[in-house]
Amino acid sequence: MSWITEYVRPKIRGLLKREVPDNLWTTCDSCNQMLLAKELHKTLNVCPHCGHHMRVTVMDRLKWTFDNGDFNRIELPQAPVDPLGFRDQKKYTDRLKDARAKSHLDESLVVAHGTIGGHPAVVAVMAFEFMAGTMGAAFGERFVAAARLAILQKSPLVIFTASGGARMQEGVISLMQMPRTTVAVQMLRDAGLPYIVVLTNPTTGGVTASFAMLGDVQMAEPNALIGFAGPRVIEDTVREKLPEGFQRSEYLLDHGMLDMVVVRKALPATLARVIGLLTRAPADVTAPPPRQPPAPAVAAE
């Protein structure tokens, strides 16, 4: 056999068969540009081409929010699993197992405490990667626990929302978490503590209809979808074409539903300044002014 057959051909085949890792590249949801995952992470999952704010995992959100990425997660109460014995195409218990295996989380809300701009704060983050961040009995338990921790520490509560709404597998039990979380917000108000909401893409359903719109200060990331029902459902119901940008952050800002729209990289400094104002304590950082863009294209800068 020749040198080409024995040496060159195997080398060429090896190069052609080399596999590329699945998580090496990703695609922007807005402009469809191919992005190197490592470089995208450096921009806090904001597309460098169009400024679209892509989804963020719970752990990244916590690291990017707290000072120096330092925080302490708290142990959260458990709730009855599958209280209705629900089954559609598969058992609810099997869906929970799959979600826990894929997300490495045990539920759709994670709570931690630390400092933001030197201010003590309790932060709750909704995990869209866990069953689309849906709200069930366990979520309600965790939200109440977060509020009680904030009261115990005399700290503000900050929540990042990202959810498809109530969890259908828990039926009316899921819907009962709407008044339950509302009562928890009132507990914070009675204690004189700030409650700050940061709405991210998407925030919909019963989450929007309850605690997500009750903040003392309402922030949102640019071009986030925020509403109770989706645009297609509304159009089918009212039989009219919706305005441009309807249910997006900038539209809600223009119509008085939000206090500010803030780009992701400015969120920690903005939170620090707002907490300082609400608690009458000076922040340890100089925060840039929040961006309040008139249109989605400008907001994404």
Side-chain angles (χ1 to χ4, degrees), residues 145-177:
R148 286 174 175 165
L149 177 63
I151 294 170
L152 181 65
Q153 295 186 351
K154 297 182 180 179
S155 301
L157 174 61
V158 179
I159 184 163
F160 289 85
T161 64
S163 177
R167 188 171 298 173
M168 60 170 286
Q169 290 86 354
E170 296 190 22
V172 71
I173 296 175
S174 176
L175 296 178
M176 287 305 298
Q177 306 314 307

Side-chain angles (χ1 to χ4, degrees), residues 244-255:
E244 185 69 25
F246 183 74
Q247 289 186 317
R248 296 289 173 173
S249 304
E250 295 74 18
Y251 186 92
L252 270 64
L253 176 66
D254 292 340
H255 289 78

Side-chain angles (χ1 to χ4, degrees), residues 183-197:
V183 170
V185 173
Q186 187 60 47
M187 289 165 51
L188 290 166
R189 294 224 169 95
D190 292 342
L193 295 170
Y195 173 56
I196 302 169
V197 180

